[in-house]
Amino acid sequence: MLSTPSPVLHEESYNPFKIYGPALTQIFINVDNHFYVAKNSSASNDIKSVYSTIDGKPSSLEFRISSVKDNVQTISFLPKELGVYSIHILSGDSDEISGSPLSISSLIPISLPLDLHNIPGIDLLSSSFSLKIQGPNGHIHEPYYLFRDKEKIATYQLFFHPQDGAGSYKILISKNSKKILTINLAIANETLASLKGRSSLGASTPEMALTISPKVHLGKNINLYDPTIEIKVLGPDGTNPQPVTLKRDGSAESFLIKFPFTGIGTYKITLSQNGQVLAKLTTQGTKPNTSFAKQTQSASLVLDSSKIFGKFIDLSQEGYQIP
C-alpha cells in the first residue's frame, strides 16, 4: 500500500512522541486508513491503546497498533461512518500523548482502478515511482491511498477526495522524478453530490455486487481496469453511489463491480471508454434481510448486435445463445 506524504504534528524535541501520516487531515470511510507515531529517547512507553468518539458519541471503531519498528508504530483503522472523529492515543496504561486527541473529519472517497501492465517494469509501490493527483485548480491533492491488486502486480485501486470540486483531474505518474504517464479523470457535479449526500456507508449499509464478463456483456474482451474505462452507477434515488470498486472475479475474463445499496429499485450501470458508451446494464436492489447483507444481483443489458457483429442479428431467435 502507498499513501501520500502528509503533515507532521509535534516535532519539537521536548515531545516524546511525533504523530504523522496521511490520516491526520482526512479520513476515508470504507478504506484502510493509517498514521504513524514515532518516539524518541525520552519516551518511556510504547503506544498501548487507541480509541475514538464520533460527533461526541462513543464509537465502535477498532484500531490496529503495530509493533515498534525503528521507534515507529503504525496505527491502522477502517472507519464506516461519516462524521468528526476524536482519536485518543495512549501510551503505557492511561497516559494520553501530546497532540492527542486528534480531531479529523471523515469523507467518502473517489475510487479509481488503475491497470498499468502496459508500462514495462512499473511498480507504483517502489521508491522509484511517485504519484500525484492534480485538481482542476492546479492543486496537488492529499491524502490518497493506493492499494495493489493481489492478483496482478501492475493493477491498483486509488482512493482520494476531489477537494477542488467538479472538473478535470490529472493522475501524474513519474519514475525517478521524470513524468511517464498522465491519466485524465473528469468528475461531474452529480458524483460530488452523491459523495456529500450520504450520511453513512458503514455496516448498516449493504453493498450491491454485479459480475460482468466483457466477452459476454460487451461482445469482446476488454480489461475494465484500463484507466480509459469509466463505470458510472445511477441509483434508484437519482444519486451516484460511491465508492464503486472493481475486482477480478476468479478469472481474467470477469470482474466484480461493487457499490453501496442506496435503496430499493433499479440501478443503472453505464460502461464507457473515451466518452463512448460500451454497454448499459440494470440490476434490481431489493430489501436486504439484515443490515449486513450484501445484494448480489443478476444484470439485464442492451446489446447492439450491429456494432458487435457488423450487422443486425435477432438474438432472440432460436439457435443463438449467451452462456
Side-chain angles (χ1 to χ4, degrees), residues 8-11 15-20 36-39 97:
V8 175
L9 298 183
H10 306 293
E11 291 187 280
N15 280 324
F17 295 96
K18 178 175 67 177
I19 309 171
Y20 64 102
Y36 307 102
V37 180
K39 67 174 185 176
I97 70 173

Side-chain angles (χ1 to χ4, degrees), residues 143-157:
Y144 68 76
Y145 289 96
L146 185 71
F147 298 90
R148 176 184 286 146
D149 189 310
K150 294 180 181 179
E151 300 177 12
K152 288 189 64 179
I153 191 171
T155 302
Y156 307 86
Q157 198 80 22

Side-chain angles (χ1 to χ4, degrees), residues 23 29 127 173 192 197 233 261 264 272 307:
I29 63 172
S127 58
I173 298 175
L192 293 179
V233 179
F261 175 87
I264 298 172
S272 305
K307 290 183 179 180

Side-chain angles (χ1 to χ4, degrees), residues 30 94 115 126 190 230 233 261 287 312:
N30 284 349
S94 60
D115 187 341
S126 76
E190 293 81 2
E230 184 178 14
V233 179
F261 175 87
K287 186 176 181 180
F312 173 75

